[in-house]
Amino acid sequence: MTWRTFTKTYTSPEAVRRAVAHHAWLERHAQPLCLPRIVEVQPLSVASEFIHGRHLGVADLPRVANMLGRAHATAWRSDLRRARLDTPHLLHGGLTLPDFVSTRMAALRRDELASHERAAAVRLLHEHRDGAAAFYKDTNPRNVLITGDGRMVAVDVDDLTLAPFGYDLAKLVVTLAMTYGRYPLQLVEEALAAYNHQLDAVGPVAFDHLMGFAELHDLLTRRYLGRGGYQYPWPTVRPCEEET
């Protein structure tokens, strides 16, 4: 069978190796996350099955949250029980999943931030460094596709890292608002309930922790404002209670 493919190019063979390893790790440890199959690997490119589908909308948030919760809980049970958020996690072949803390500290140093914003972000990183480890795959409206038959397919898994439970969901909460504008806070609450429903083994994510992660995502995503579909600054579109 001949597949229609999507080819992504990379700057080095090491980046290709990392992308393929992350894809393989997710396939093995993060069911029910559905990924495009890899068709061909070249020294500086990876060709994957082309996925016909639409980008996520606001109404998809609870359903995607449920899927993320299942995938995060499965990965924790399968391979991340002993992982630490401040230590890279060893993968097959000597590669690693980068840790949560140092990667975000590096990003905070790179971006231009007010001193109080940077200090609050550093406190949050230290508060969560000893928590249970899930993973982060940058779940934003363009990185999950809904196919014609209703499947959710996760794309672009190159920059996988460790992360606390709820962190990747918070990225979706923020980027949906930055893409489409403000939506009701009740939808975030429904999404968190759907996510937590899958976390019996590790316990639920608190609402204030989710929104704390959202504020960190604001700091790390605001430099993309005006690109990639991000139209609205997070401070102007935080989900809120509907007026009566």
Side-chain angles (χ1 to χ4, degrees):
M1 178 181 294
T2 300
W3 294 94
R4 184 181 176 191
T5 61
F6 171 80
T7 299
K8 184 170 183 177
T9 58
Y10 297 84
T11 58
S12 69
E14 179 64 19
V16 169
R17 185 168 168 248
R18 182 171 61 249
V20 172
H22 288 179
H23 186 282
W25 184 86
L26 286 170
E27 282 197 320
R28 180 177 180 183
H29 297 292
Q31 298 297 324
L33 201 66
C34 182
L35 307 173
R37 70 187 67 194
I38 291 178
V39 177
E40 184 180 46
V41 178
Q42 295 290 339
L44 293 178
S45 67
V46 176
S48 301
E49 169 192 8
F50 185 86
I51 301 298
H52 294 273
R54 64 171 176 82
H55 294 156
L56 295 181
V58 171
D60 299 308
L61 179 56
R63 183 180 171 214
V64 179
N66 183 273
M67 179 269 290
L68 273 179
R70 289 177 62 194
H72 288 166
T74 300
W76 182 84
R77 288 191 297 268
S78 177
D79 192 45
L80 297 180
R81 285 177 182 265
R82 295 179 179 82
R84 288 185 52 88
L85 293 172
D86 58 359
T87 304
H89 182 67
L90 187 64
L91 303 180
H92 179 74
L95 294 176
T96 63
L97 286 185
D99 70 285
F100 173 69
V101 176
S102 71
T103 51
R104 274 70 192 179
M105 291 289 284
L108 291 169
R109 289 192 293 268
R110 178 192 62 211
D111 292 345
E112 294 184 7
L113 302 172
S115 58
H116 72 279
E117 292 176 324
R118 195 185 311 274
V122 170
R123 284 197 301 273
L124 184 146
L125 292 176
H126 285 286
E127 288 171 2
H128 291 279
R129 68 190 309 155
D130 294 324
F135 61 85
Y136 170 73
K137 70 150 303 294
D138 187 12
T139 303
N140 66 56
R142 289 158 297 284
N143 281 352
V144 179
L145 299 176
I146 307 290
T147 66
D149 60 1
R151 288 186 307 141
M152 294 181 291
V153 182
V155 299
D156 197 0
V157 298
D158 302 347
D159 297 320
L160 208 63
T161 72
L162 298 175
F165 280 84
Y167 184 77
D168 211 356
L169 175 59
K171 179 60 176 284
L172 184 56
V173 168
V174 171
T175 53
L176 281 171
M178 291 180 68
T179 301
Y180 299 113
R182 178 174 284 142
Y183 55 87
L185 188 65
Q186 180 182 354
L187 196 61
V188 181
E189 296 168 341
E190 291 175 7
L192 182 58
Y195 182 83
N196 282 336
H197 183 70
Q198 303 296 334
L199 306 189
D200 290 345
V202 295
V205 173
F207 183 81
D208 61 338
H209 287 175
L210 179 76
M211 299 313 289
F213 293 148
E215 297 307 312
L216 177 55
H217 279 300
D218 168 43
L219 301 184
L220 299 178
T221 307
R222 62 175 57 168
R223 65 193 180 102
Y224 298 107
L225 189 64
R227 293 183 282 158
Y230 297 144
Q231 304 181 71
Y232 307 101
W234 168 249
T236 70
V237 292
R238 287 185 185 92
C240 61
E241 298 284 358
E242 293 185 289
E243 294 183 1
T244 57

